[in-house]
Amino acid sequence: MRLIILTSLLLASGLHAACAASLQITTEHSPPSSMLGTDGVVTGRTTDKIREMMVRTGTDYKLELLPWKRAFMQAQTQRHTCVYSTSRTPEREALFKWVGPTDEAEWQFWGRADHSFPLNTLDDARKLRIGTAIGDARDEYLRSRGFNVDAVSNDLVNPQKLLLNRIDLWAVAIRNGGAAPGPFDWTDKVVPLMVFNRVKVYLACNPSVPDELIDKLNAALADMRRDGTLTRLDRKYDHYGK
């Protein structure tokens, strides 16, 4: 009997420790969703939602701003690591455990303001050269469908490539209410042309994160949606970049 009780206590202790494990959370610079504040602390609309979820569930965490490829790779390969804002696509479904959605986004084609080709449907872009970022969901989406993609490590190289006529289109993700990607030295020269997909974005967690913690985080997010916290945090950034 003592052995059974001891085993049960050890199992319960192990589960509690797993659920209480500190999360390493990564993200990219993507205003107003995630960005470095003037005080050196990562802030932003989705960042505030993530922090609130951690507080409500009593989860210890560290949050780091990284280049997207590195942030995404760490969540795939390192235990107890999560990354946001991650588009939930069929290709990624089995790679992570998912908390969300935390937001929605439009995938848009941007091009030169003086472009001469027609662009009314996604298929119109099939013969065009499309600038993407390595490891990005838009790159995966277009590449898997046979589009002519030209991926770079730094997505903000793409507007310059447009101006040099090295690509015809740039695949951009704009969060709901988000500002145009910066910097803005090409304003009015590179413009949005068409929305080609709409996605929901999530906190994507390494499979090592316990299911119980994932459930708690999703429950906290649902409570935040019901009590108006998500709406309040969204409105906090309504005028960002305007």
Side-chain angles (χ1 to χ4, degrees):
M1 177 63 72
R2 289 181 179 178
L3 180 60
I4 293 174
I5 294 174
L6 180 60
T7 302
S8 298
L9 288 172
L10 287 173
L11 288 172
S13 175
L15 180 59
H16 176 76
C19 291
S22 177
L23 288 181
Q24 179 70 28
I25 301 176
T26 63
T27 188
E28 65 173 337
H29 177 73
S30 181
S33 174
S34 49
M35 53 197 168
L36 203 61
T38 55
D39 57 358
V41 175
V42 183
T43 185
R45 184 173 60 193
T46 304
T47 303
D48 289 355
K49 297 174 185 178
I50 299 298
R51 291 191 186 280
E52 180 68 16
M53 280 191 285
M54 299 302 133
V55 170
R56 292 193 182 201
T57 57
T59 303
D60 185 37
Y61 71 100
K62 294 180 180 179
L63 201 158
E64 189 175 10
L65 197 73
L66 299 170
W68 176 253
K69 185 179 179 181
R70 183 178 168 194
F72 187 75
M73 184 62 66
Q74 283 190 190
Q76 282 188 275
T77 59
Q78 296 185 13
R79 292 179 57 80
H80 303 297
T81 301
C82 304
V83 59
Y84 71 95
S85 298
T86 307
S87 300
R88 188 171 183 173
T89 63
E91 294 83 3
R92 293 174 170 179
E93 184 65 32
L95 298 178
F96 300 104
K97 294 179 180 178
W98 301 89
V99 179
T102 56
D103 207 343
E104 297 181 357
E106 287 186 349
W107 289 357
Q108 302 175 356
F109 284 137
W110 287 46
R112 290 173 58 116
D114 61 355
H115 74 284
S116 58
F117 50 82
L119 188 66
N120 299 306
T121 68
L122 180 59
D123 205 51
D124 289 338
R126 190 163 294 279
K127 294 182 180 180
L128 301 175
R129 301 163 298 173
I130 305 171
T132 60
I134 296 171
D136 187 86
R138 297 177 300 285
D139 180 74
E140 297 169 358
Y141 179 91
L142 293 167
R143 189 181 299 273
S144 68
R145 288 161 175 78
F147 285 83
N148 180 17
V149 297
D150 183 0
V152 294
S153 58
N154 180 359
D155 199 27
L156 292 181
V157 171
N158 281 312
Q160 300 301 327
K161 292 176 69 175
L162 276 171
L163 294 176
L164 293 171
N165 283 320
R166 292 171 56 192
I167 55 175
D168 303 302
L169 296 171
W170 174 26
V172 179
I174 302 293
R175 306 282 185 262
N176 283 353
F184 304 101
D185 56 343
W186 35 263
T187 300
D188 298 329
K189 299 177 183 177
V190 176
V191 297
L193 302 180
M194 184 187 121
V195 175
F196 68 92
N197 196 20
R198 290 180 173 85
V199 297
K200 295 182 178 180
V201 294
Y202 290 71
L203 177 70
C205 294
N206 185 276
S208 63
V209 177
D211 289 342
E212 183 177 348
L213 179 53
I214 296 296
D215 291 343
K216 286 182 178 179
L217 291 170
N218 272 310
L221 186 63
D223 287 341
M224 290 162 60
R225 186 171 288 107
R226 281 192 293 268
D227 66 23
T229 300
L230 294 186
T231 299
R232 175 176 58 80
L233 293 177
D234 282 336
R235 287 176 178 169
K236 180 180 175 182
Y237 294 90
D238 274 352
H239 300 291
Y240 178 84
K242 296 180 181 179

